[in-house]
Amino acid sequence: MLDFPRWQRLAMAIAQISRPRRLGLGTLGAVGFAVAGPLWAETADPQEGQADLTPPQQAEEAALDYNPYIYLDWLPAWQLPPHMQPAQATACSGAFVAPPRDYRDADLTPEMAPLRATADSSEWLDDGTARLRGNVHVTQGYRQLFADQVDVNRNESTATLRGAIEMREPSLLVRGRSAEIQTDSQAAQIEDATYVIHNEFVHGSASFASREASGELILTDGNYTRCEPGNVVWQMRGGEIHIDNVERQGVARNVRLEILDVPLFYFPYLRFPVGTDRLSGLLFPSISNSDENGWDVAVPYYWNIAPQMDATIVPRYIQYRGTGAEVEVRHLSQLFNTELRAAGLPDDKGGDDEDAEDLIRQGFPEDLVLPAKGEDRWLINFEQQGTAGTFWRTNVDYAKVSDPDYFRDLDTANLSVAAETSLNQRAEASLFNENWTATLRAQDYQQLVKDRFDTYRQLPRLDIDGNYRWGDWALGLEHEITRWDHDDEQTIRFIADVGDPDSVTELSRNFVNADRVRLDYELEWDKQWLWGYFTPGIAGRYLGYQVDEQFLNPEASDSPEASAGQFTLDSGLFFERDASAFGYNLVQTLEPRFFTLVSSKADQSDFIDVSTSPADGGNDLLFDTSLFTFSYDQLFRDSRFTGNDRIDDADRVALGLTTRILDPVSGRDLFALSGGQIFYLEDRETTLRGIVEDAPRSEFAARLESRPIQSMRISSELIYDDDEGDLNRGNFSLRYLDDDFRLFNLGYRYLRRDEVLDIDGDLIRGSIEQVDASMVLPVSPTTAILARANYDITFDRELEYVAGVEYDSCCYMVRLAWRRTLDNDLADVVSPEELEFDEGIYIEFQLKGLASLGTTVTRMLSQGIPNFEQREQLKQ
């Protein structure tokens, strides 16, 4: 006899197949067969002392627990086993869960297991047919078959099934009215079929279904969806649908896509993934509209060339610019991971930009306002990472565009390439062993800002670094040789004043090229205890150049050099004590830190004024070097400079103090406060431009970090000039993201700068003071509110406002957003204070398991809201 849950599943299946209004069977199932918890669980006896429910009470509770989709193995969230509850996505109200296979040989493959069958009655007919009647259950390994009647013809190797047919394999359920099976190949044809693919959240039905010997499921006049039963928003319907659960792919012919039962698209042929794998075929188009570009339509085609290679080809039409295309090719091998991206737009029409046209009418040159009009626009990006064990590795990251305005004018429809001020162009290869690493690099950048000169190229740079450690002793040996290369002369042309058509400015500069050699040898004794650490070290540093004679100042040396010997000491202590507050046990620490640098004199005066003109780019031999942004961490660095164009010989002592309050259970910093300052022993003669700095001490740096709860992080940093009594820089940030996907961010930053006024007394430039707040607030398991506000307090104006709503269910996701932001298309022409605002409404629609329409909203939110990408990953 069939067990109790089996009968209820059959009742639901028969009700679905025979298509009555489920009044009689539904009531029967609700009153007679409903149970609490998983429907295949055994019904427990009433606990001792628990009163039995009266029939009316039983009917009332059964009606509340009624599950009309149990025939699909669908369990609502309240019926899921406890171990499945944490993994259940909040947007889904249940899951497809197959009953356990607890029969004999259930873990074997059908080829390795014998065929077993049970029934209420069986008989052999004279023609050799075996007839099984009543509750037939056939198993062969993990494959199961249920039916009311089964006739097996041994001569024709066929089996005919009638009644409530049920076929099961791991993660696959097929039900039907009648079926015929080839017993030798296990192929089957089922009428009035209903199917479920459990682990892919896929289900549907068909007038006729066939299961091939290969495992492929073919549906005729059927449908396919990933929506929850009873809430089907989208489905593919009609024609013929092939689902290969082994190869994780599907093919549909002559099907239509229906949303809310309304046909929207017809596909004569469509390939789609069954799961997360991607397949060759057309993807959903990306469609947007803007004032400048008009309609922007891109239709991606994905080509699954081989398991280790694929390509995405994207024809693109931009209404006010023209027709172009994008291509992305990816290849993965044992040695290299390669990605090539390219895009092109021939003969750009220039767009429909009223602000730019207005500037041209005022008399500004068109080649500066719209420099790309009539030009061919293109982009290329090549990335490759290679490695072979612990012997060598390579890294190539090369990107180039036709003009600096490419990303502002066109962006990309399908390529993950973006930039704001420059594009990286780097290729390097490294050889390494246990102690040594040798790296050869070529490096360049493409500037995307029109009023800046190009940076120097490194053609090439060779680094040979050695690292040895013997117990507490550490030795570092760093060697660098670089060729700094630049065009001898460069001229840039830009608009200096948007209010004056005659303010077109042209600047030219001569560049001095040079070879640089840098050697850094350091020996440290790194001694650590539980209560502190003591790390003295000695270092020898050498810096030398071989400067090209062209544009070289006759009074300057063509081979300037400097060297210094240095002593550093970094030490700290850890004090801690037990504490308590508000009934909680805590640990408080006190961590003083002392750092000192003493250096011999490194005369670097020959590095200053090496070119024929003080304004030349090669002046002062600064190729990759600037000052670090001062912060608390900067107190304890052995150099004030980034890059290798200076040897820091500023003798100094730095003092810092940190106190923490820790959670002794998790070790989390509930509160951490640090503060410190540098005290200089003498004037700093080594600077970027040769100007002596005589301040006796640095600014005071303070930092606050707190994680009061696991979901929240708070941080702040202040830089205070105690001589002038001014706050030079400050920032504050709060980040919150919890398990319910609630996200809040609050940020503030301040940078003191001297004010610049125009002739009318209006502020042109002043201190930077901005506030940035954003949130994603779920108001239900499926709906969330999105918002961001970035405001400039200095100029009393908004920088960007975003407001939107997100609806995310099991089968589809919709994001609708409104955005108001500064229009940066003329950022290189118009002063920041005169930029106009741009407003737009954006929509993104994703059919889960099929395709998405537009990605603009997701990209916009990921770039503007901290932790938004992490939230998306947690929701997976």
Side-chain angles (χ1 to χ4, degrees):
M1 297 294 293
L2 292 178
D3 60 3
F4 174 79
R6 162 74 177 148
W7 274 113
Q8 186 174 17
R9 290 171 184 267
L10 281 177
M12 297 295 104
I14 294 171
Q16 172 72 7
I17 293 172
S18 57
R19 307 294 186 194
R21 290 292 174 253
R22 289 207 293 261
L23 177 60
L25 286 173
T27 305
L28 179 64
V31 175
F33 299 109
V35 296
L39 293 185
W40 52 81
E42 295 183 1
T43 304
D45 296 330
Q47 297 180 1
E48 184 178 353
Q50 179 179 344
D52 293 336
L53 297 177
T54 63
Q57 290 174 317
Q58 291 177 342
E60 182 179 354
E61 291 207 359
L64 292 175
D65 293 348
Y66 173 55
N67 179 7
Y69 304 106
I70 185 62
Y71 70 93
L72 294 176
D73 291 344
W74 172 260
L75 295 184
W78 53 268
Q79 283 188 324
L80 289 174
H83 70 277
M84 294 190 64
Q85 295 282 351
Q88 178 62 30
T90 57
C92 300
S93 63
F96 294 103
V97 183
R101 303 191 310 273
D102 52 5
Y103 55 88
R104 189 175 178 183
D105 299 329
D107 296 330
L108 298 179
T109 62
E111 295 77 12
M112 300 297 295
L115 181 69
R116 305 178 188 276
T118 61
D120 290 347
S121 63
S122 63
E123 60 177 322
W124 288 97
L125 303 182
D126 294 339
D127 60 359
T129 300
R131 175 176 293 175
L132 306 178
R133 294 293 183 269
N135 303 322
V136 182
H137 184 199
V138 181
T139 66
Q140 188 173 17
Y142 58 64
R143 185 173 294 142
Q144 295 185 80
L145 171 66
F146 297 93
D148 291 337
Q149 300 178 16
V150 176
D151 294 331
V152 180
N153 189 321
R154 291 188 300 175
N155 297 328
E156 298 180 3
S157 298
T158 62
T160 303
L161 294 76
R162 300 179 182 87
I165 310 301
E166 180 179 329
M167 300 177 59
R168 288 189 177 275
E169 293 184 6
S171 193
L172 177 65
L173 165 65
V174 181
R175 295 185 182 276
R177 184 198 303 271
S178 62
E180 183 172 311
I181 299 177
Q182 300 294 324
T183 57
D184 51 357
S185 66
Q186 298 300 318
Q189 294 80 39
I190 307 102
E191 295 183 10
D192 286 340
T194 302
Y195 69 93
V196 177
I197 303 176
H198 300 79
N199 58 356
E200 300 301 341
F201 214 91
V202 169
H203 67 100
S205 60
S207 298
F208 185 83
S210 63
R211 181 200 175 280
E212 303 300 310
S214 61
E216 184 180 17
L217 188 64
I218 302 176
L219 311 173
T220 302
D221 190 20
N223 58 70
Y224 168 98
T225 186
R226 283 191 78 248
C227 296
E228 300 180 21
N231 187 26
V232 177
V233 176
W234 69 266
Q235 61 181 336
M236 287 191 301
R237 177 181 290 277
E240 189 174 86
I241 302 174
H242 295 237
I243 301 176
D244 192 336
N245 200 28
V246 177
E247 298 294 332
R248 322 288 286 178
Q249 62 179 333
V251 175
R253 293 180 174 87
N254 298 319
V255 296
R256 61 186 181 272
L257 173 64
E258 296 183 355
I259 298 180
L260 297 176
D261 295 329
V262 177
L264 291 184
F265 296 99
Y266 168 76
F267 299 97
Y269 180 84
L270 177 68
R271 300 188 69 182
F272 57 92
V274 179
T276 58
D277 296 339
R278 300 180 69 181
L279 301 175
S280 297
L282 288 173
L283 305 179
F284 265 62
S286 173
I287 304 174
S288 63
N289 182 274
S290 65
D291 294 336
E292 182 179 343
N293 289 341
W295 288 103
D296 187 343
V297 181
V299 184
Y301 177 83
Y302 178 76
W303 182 14
N304 190 20
I305 302 172
Q308 73 281 2
M309 187 175 184
D310 63 9
T312 304
I313 305 169
V314 189
R316 185 180 182 188
Y317 168 74
I318 305 176
Q319 182 180 3
Y320 298 141
R321 292 193 179 275
T323 302
E326 298 178 354
V327 177
E328 179 181 59
V329 180
R330 303 185 300 179
H331 180 260
L332 180 65
S333 69
Q334 294 182 347
L335 298 180
F336 295 101
N337 179 14
T338 305
E339 298 182 14
L340 175 63
R341 305 176 183 91
L345 179 71
D347 192 17
D348 186 0
K349 298 177 183 178
D352 184 16
D353 192 333
E354 288 296 330
D355 295 333
E357 295 295 337
D358 185 59
L359 290 175
I360 294 173
R361 285 192 292 269
Q362 294 177 31
F364 288 94
E366 182 177 3
D367 65 329
L368 290 180
V369 179
L370 294 174
K373 185 175 182 179
E375 300 293 330
D376 295 335
R377 316 287 296 276
W378 52 265
L379 173 152
I380 187 169
N381 174 225
F382 180 79
E383 295 183 15
Q384 185 183 77
Q385 297 81 38
T387 184
T390 58
F391 177 64
W392 66 270
R393 62 172 173 262
T394 61
N395 188 0
V396 179
D397 182 5
Y398 182 90
K400 189 175 180 64
V401 291
S402 57
D403 56 89
D405 294 322
Y406 186 92
F407 291 104
R408 284 196 291 266
D409 291 345
L410 303 176
D411 204 347
T412 57
N414 197 71
L415 304 181
S416 56
V417 182
E420 293 184 1
T421 60
S422 63
L423 285 173
N424 190 24
Q425 299 172 351
R426 184 185 76 247
E428 65 181 24
S430 300
L431 299 174
F432 49 92
N433 61 19
E434 182 179 358
N435 300 112
W436 287 91
T437 300
T439 301
L440 183 64
R441 176 193 304 171
Q443 176 84 59
D444 194 10
Y445 294 94
Q446 182 184 5
Q447 288 289 346
L448 301 182
V449 182
K450 299 175 185 176
D451 58 356
R452 295 183 187 176
F453 290 98
D454 292 338
T455 59
Y456 277 86
R457 298 180 289 267
Q458 300 179 47
L459 295 177
R461 172 171 175 164
L462 176 63
D463 291 272
I464 302 177
D465 302 330
N467 290 279
Y468 292 88
R469 191 170 186 94
W470 307 277
D472 297 328
W473 292 91
L475 175 64
L477 306 171
E478 297 182 0
H479 312 78
E480 178 231 311
I481 302 175
T482 305
R483 171 61 182 177
W484 295 102
D485 183 76
H486 197 289
D487 294 340
D488 294 336
E489 298 181 61
Q490 183 184 1
T491 300
I492 58 176
R493 186 165 166 260
F494 58 92
I495 298 174
D497 184 358
V498 72
D500 181 8
D502 296 326
S503 66
V504 175
T505 302
E506 186 174 292
L507 294 179
S508 296
R509 180 171 292 179
N510 300 327
F511 290 84
V512 175
N513 297 326
D515 299 324
R516 184 181 73 189
V517 176
R518 176 72 184 245
L519 307 178
D520 292 280
Y521 296 170
E522 300 180 58
L523 177 65
E524 291 183 343
W525 184 51
D526 184 13
K527 188 63 178 177
Q528 300 186 26
W529 303 271
L530 292 176
W531 47 266
Y533 59 92
F534 185 78
T535 308
I538 57 174
R541 308 189 188 279
Y542 171 82
L543 173 61
Y545 296 89
Q546 184 63 49
V547 185
D548 291 357
E549 294 185 0
Q550 189 171 11
F551 308 126
L552 181 65
N553 187 339
E555 299 178 358
S557 171
D558 64 352
S559 56
E561 59 181 3
S563 61
Q566 296 180 347
F567 170 79
T568 59
L569 174 61
D570 190 4
S571 61
L573 298 173
F574 303 115
F575 301 97
E576 68 176 45
R577 69 182 183 92
D578 294 331
S580 62
F582 306 104
Y584 293 95
N585 293 326
L586 305 170
V587 174
Q588 182 182 8
T589 71
L590 194 65
E591 305 168 23
R593 186 173 181 180
F594 172 88
F595 176 84
T596 186
L597 168 69
V598 178
S599 177
S600 64
K601 291 297 181 182
D603 185 3
Q604 299 168 68
S605 59
D606 288 345
F607 300 162
I608 309 299
D609 294 333
V610 299
S611 62
T612 55
S613 171
D616 284 348
N619 191 47
D620 300 336
L621 294 181
L622 291 173
F623 298 108
D624 65 348
T625 301
S626 62
L627 286 171
F628 277 108
T629 299
F630 188 69
S631 65
Y632 180 79
D633 291 330
Q634 175 60 25
L635 299 177
F636 311 106
R637 294 183 184 273
D638 59 9
S639 178
R640 296 169 291 143
F641 306 104
T642 67
N644 286 335
D645 288 313
R646 294 292 185 269
I647 297 176
D648 190 351
D649 63 351
D651 295 350
R652 58 188 179 269
V653 171
L655 299 177
L657 181 64
T658 299
T659 182
R660 308 176 194 270
I661 297 179
L662 307 174
D663 179 357
V665 177
S666 65
R668 188 174 69 247
D669 279 0
L670 303 178
F671 178 86
L673 178 63
S674 301
Q677 196 168 20
I678 296 175
F679 298 91
Y680 297 103
L681 306 181
E682 56 185 15
D683 295 343
R684 275 86 63 213
E685 297 180 1
T686 301
T687 59
L688 294 178
R689 302 296 179 183
I691 301 174
V692 176
E693 298 176 355
D694 57 0
R697 58 184 178 272
S698 72
E699 302 155 305
F700 182 84
R703 182 175 63 192
L704 167 69
E705 294 177 320
S706 177
R707 197 170 183 181
I709 58 177
Q710 186 66 28
S711 305
M712 181 185 293
R713 295 177 183 270
I714 300 173
S715 63
S716 179
E717 190 161 30
L718 299 176
I719 305 299
Y720 179 74
D721 187 342
D722 54 355
D723 282 338
E724 300 292 335
D726 292 325
L727 180 66
N728 286 344
R729 193 174 76 252
N731 62 70
F732 170 85
S733 68
L734 183 149
R735 304 282 184 262
Y736 180 88
L737 176 60
D738 61 20
D739 295 335
D740 295 323
F741 312 122
R742 291 176 294 190
L743 188 157
F744 298 95
N745 299 294
L746 179 62
Y748 170 84
R749 72 186 188 105
Y750 172 81
L751 175 63
R752 189 174 69 88
R753 298 193 304 181
D754 294 334
E755 293 185 350
V756 178
L757 305 177
D758 61 15
I759 58 176
D760 297 325
D762 295 329
L763 182 66
I764 296 178
R765 195 188 89 156
S767 299
I768 297 175
E769 190 173 6
Q770 297 176 356
V771 175
D772 194 345
S774 57
M775 74 170 187
V776 179
L777 179 62
V779 295
S780 74
T782 57
T783 306
I785 297 174
L786 316 168
R788 184 197 180 199
N790 189 8
Y791 193 81
D792 188 337
I793 299 175
T794 303
F795 292 97
D796 191 21
R797 65 175 182 179
E798 64 268 30
L799 299 175
E800 181 179 42
Y801 283 168
V802 176
V805 63
E806 171 191 88
Y807 183 85
D808 191 3
S809 69
C810 272
C811 69
Y812 74 99
M813 184 272 294
V814 178
R815 290 192 179 115
L816 178 67
W818 165 83
R819 184 189 191 193
R820 174 180 167 88
T821 184
L822 287 175
D823 185 355
N824 289 316
D825 289 339
L826 296 176
D828 293 332
V829 177
V830 180
S831 62
E833 293 74 21
E834 296 178 276
L835 290 174
E836 299 294 332
F837 288 96
D838 186 20
E839 293 188 38
I841 296 178
Y842 307 85
I843 187 169
E844 180 178 324
F845 187 57
Q846 178 183 352
L847 304 179
K848 295 187 177 179
L850 193 61
S852 62
L853 182 62
T855 58
T856 303
V857 180
T858 296
R859 184 165 61 237
M860 179 175 62
L861 296 175
S862 298
Q863 294 173 353
I865 300 180
N867 288 335
F868 187 83
E869 289 186 354
Q870 183 179 354
R871 172 184 178 267
E872 295 299 285
Q873 294 173 1
L874 293 176
K875 290 176 61 179
Q876 298 291 322

